[in-house]
Amino acid sequence: MIKTDEILQKDQKLWDLFSAREEYDTGTRDPYDRFPFSASSNRNICKPLVSKYLIEHGFTPEYPDNRSFAVCLTHDIDGLYTSFSLKTEYALRNLMKGSLSGFTHYLKKSPLCNFKDIMSLEEKYGATSSFYFMAEEAGEQDYAYRVDDLEPVLKEIVDRGCEVGLHGGHTSYLDPEEMTRKKKHLEKVLGRNIVGYRNHYLRFRVPDTWEYLRNAGFLYDTTFGYPDQVGFRNGMCHPFRPFNRTTGKPVDILEIPLTFMVSTFDGYMKINPSKAWEMTKYLIDTVQQYHGVATVLWHNNDVIGNHRKFYEKLLNYCAKKDAWLTSGQEIATWWNQKGF
Ligand SMILES: [Zn+2]
């Protein structure tokens, strides 16, 4: 096993990028208290410079069955039900975009209870994935469902080889007590341990959130990416143990950094579908080149209409490249067993 921190510390610039030094130095935050890409000095966001350096200096990650790279498939479950007016609005929006399948889907049923459809789609490509559920109480911001009502759904997800993880609420990223309470709540409903985490709205504070997650007993996190930009936030396209610059010590948790969420392309970057697909292929090809892990986020309400087609195209593209298409839990377990 090679010591990646020691290798990186020999190159000050890369070490600063890896350890997210700029996020300690600047007080710039967006209205959701997130460090925005616009405040970053990293203008090579789509190049995993730190991972490249590690590979060039002897880092040799491996994957099951000699596959050359992995894709971590994830879904944040922000909502389950839609009101009649919202359903109509979604249906019309799909119709205006020219998606007849999206239009009829929304008219026919509650569009967000689509877990079976998501899993069946993934199974066609030999894939499994992670579903991150919220455990909010009535009255909390963005409370949209009672997770206690979902016991059969959660159990089916796990029975089909997928993962149930925690989607922390708006304030969980800075509140260790809340984080632990929600983890226990979800564990009680599921009847087993929860090891994976992503915070709602990708709210995250370097390095505190990592410390809280470690203390709460999580194995890994996948929040670390930008909502407003696709790419590699700290130059890494591999899972890594974060380094806390305040304590001067690594944090014993695995970060599986987020590469992109599909809604970033149209919602934030305002790029058209063909450009989004070109960029997706570029990111996947880059991760394959460095034998890394590409983490993608499709909310359950994104596996519908044109975004569902985009998702299937991605699964197909990655399956043809013989990627390991799997959940965060599988990747974290493998990474820890191998001691990378
Ligand atoms: Zn969310």
Side-chain angles (χ1 to χ4, degrees):
M1 196 210 314
I2 66 162
K3 292 194 162 64
T4 50
D5 282 6
E6 279 178 20
I7 296 172
L8 291 174
Q9 277 165 352
K10 290 184 187 135
D11 185 310
Q12 198 56 47
K13 260 178 99 171
L14 287 180
W15 177 247
D16 288 349
L17 176 58
F18 170 76
S19 58
R21 178 179 171 172
E22 62 183 7
E23 300 194 30
Y24 293 74
D25 291 349
T26 167
T28 310
R29 314 292 290 180
D30 77 1
Y32 290 103
D33 188 35
R34 300 175 297 198
F35 179 76
F37 174 64
S38 57
S40 172
S41 61
N42 179 12
R43 294 297 109 184
N44 286 307
I45 187 73
C46 288
K47 291 196 165 55
L49 298 178
V50 179
S51 282
K52 176 175 182 282
Y53 185 85
L54 286 174
I55 293 287
E56 287 166 357
H57 288 77
F59 181 48
T60 50
E62 297 159 12
Y63 301 95
D65 305 320
N66 283 323
R67 292 169 194 260
S68 60
F69 73 116
V71 180
C72 178
L73 303 169
T74 68
H75 312 285
D76 293 354
I77 314 303
D78 291 348
L80 290 176
Y81 313 109
T82 45
S83 63
F84 181 74
S85 60
L86 198 58
K87 211 164 130 168
T88 314
E89 185 196 321
Y90 283 163
L92 290 176
R93 217 190 281 168
N94 270 275
L95 190 64
M96 276 155 64
K97 277 196 238 157
S99 170
L100 200 62
S101 59
F103 173 71
T104 48
H105 182 102
Y106 274 102
L107 278 194
K108 269 194 267 169
K109 51 188 169 185
S110 172
L112 307 181
C113 279
N114 51 351
F115 306 108
K116 285 177 200 283
D117 175 54
I118 296 173
M119 288 188 285
S120 299
L121 176 64
E122 290 167 348
E123 282 163 11
K124 265 171 68 182
Y125 297 92
T128 62
S129 63
S130 299
F131 293 81
Y132 302 111
F133 284 86
M134 301 185 90
E136 309 305 286
E137 306 285 346
E140 284 186 291
Q141 193 180 355
D142 286 352
Y143 168 77
Y145 55 88
R146 195 171 156 264
V147 78
D148 306 67
D149 298 334
L150 300 178
E151 187 188 328
V153 175
L154 303 189
K155 290 195 167 150
E156 185 184 344
I157 289 174
V158 170
D159 286 346
R160 287 174 75 163
C162 290
E163 176 194 7
V164 168
L166 179 66
H167 192 37
H170 266 289
T171 48
S172 305
Y173 74 110
L174 272 187
D175 186 338
E177 187 276 324
E178 178 185 319
M179 190 185 271
T180 302
R181 179 164 37 86
K182 289 182 174 166
K183 180 173 185 278
K184 287 188 174 149
H185 183 171
L186 189 56
E187 283 172 342
K188 203 170 156 221
V189 179
L190 183 64
R192 58 196 285 169
N193 272 356
I194 297 291
V195 299
Y197 185 87
R198 178 178 289 123
N199 207 94
H200 192 40
Y201 275 56
L202 305 185
R203 297 181 78 170
F204 200 87
R205 172 80 69 157
V206 171
D208 311 72
T209 309
W210 280 315
E211 296 284 359
Y212 300 150
L213 288 165
R214 192 270 314 268
N215 291 340
F218 286 98
L219 192 61
Y220 79 90
D221 170 72
T222 64
T223 312
F224 194 67
Y226 289 113
D228 52 343
Q229 171 67 45
V230 304
F232 311 101
R233 180 157 164 177
N234 71 336
M236 286 293 284
C237 70
H238 295 96
F240 61 91
R241 306 247 161 236
F243 188 83
N244 183 335
R245 295 182 67 101
T246 308
T247 62
K249 288 180 188 156
V251 189
D252 189 17
I253 187 161
L254 197 68
E255 178 61 42
I256 308 177
L258 177 66
T259 315
F260 69 89
M261 63 172 177
V262 67
S263 41
T264 296
F265 290 122
D266 41 12
Y268 288 93
M269 296 170 74
K270 311 281 182 206
I271 58 176
N272 66 40
S274 68
K275 184 92 195 296
W277 176 241
E278 287 311 309
M279 204 171 261
T280 297
K281 282 195 292 183
Y282 176 80
L283 291 167
I284 297 292
D285 294 351
T286 302
V287 171
Q288 182 182 26
Q289 186 186 350
Y290 298 112
H291 311 299
V293 176
T295 305
V296 301
L297 165 53
W298 253 258
H299 288 73
N300 54 326
N301 61 343
D302 280 325
V303 192
I304 281 162
N306 286 335
H307 275 174
R308 188 185 187 282
K309 283 187 195 146
F310 191 159
Y311 190 49
E312 179 151 23
K313 206 164 155 182
L314 171 80
L315 293 173
N316 189 32
Y317 185 73
C318 297
K320 278 195 178 140
K321 286 174 164 279
D322 201 26
W324 185 29
L325 295 162
T326 193
S327 65
Q329 181 171 16
E330 290 286 323
I331 289 169
T333 305
W334 171 265
W335 211 258
N336 288 345
Q337 270 171 7
K338 286 285 176 180
F340 292 138

